Amino acid sequence: MIPVEVFDELTAERARSLSQAEASVRAEGLTVGADVESVTQRWARGEISTGQMRELVRRLYGA
């Protein structure tokens, strides 16, 4: 287990990373699909690990 403060810092960092990634996608004139957004939001909230998030996104794209 980790202290709540550490968990909050980690999820805040994930949320910032996600915002930056979404901005990058928009800058390229693309959009993030709702299915991918759902998975990445779960990751940002700390509900799933980075590995789980990657695997779920790969499955969505058949990779």
Side-chain angles (χ1 to χ4, degrees), residues 5-17:
E5 296 82 12
V6 173
F7 180 80
D8 289 344
E9 288 177 27
L10 293 172
T11 55
E13 179 61 33
R14 285 181 172 194
R16 282 190 296 275
S17 296

Side-chain angles (χ1 to χ4, degrees), residues 5-57:
E5 296 82 12
V6 173
F7 180 80
D8 289 344
E9 288 177 27
L10 293 172
T11 55
E13 179 61 33
R14 285 181 172 194
R16 282 190 296 275
S17 296
L18 186 54
S19 292
Q20 291 172 349
E22 290 171 348
S24 178
V25 168
R26 284 192 308 275
E28 294 180 25
L30 304 171
T31 58
V32 177
D35 49 356
V36 172
E37 187 173 351
S38 174
V39 170
T40 56
Q41 287 297 324
R42 289 178 58 205
W43 171 78
R45 290 189 302 265
E47 296 172 9
I48 59 175
S49 70
T50 300
Q52 290 170 315
M53 182 262 303
R54 289 178 179 160
E55 180 60 29
L56 289 169
V57 171

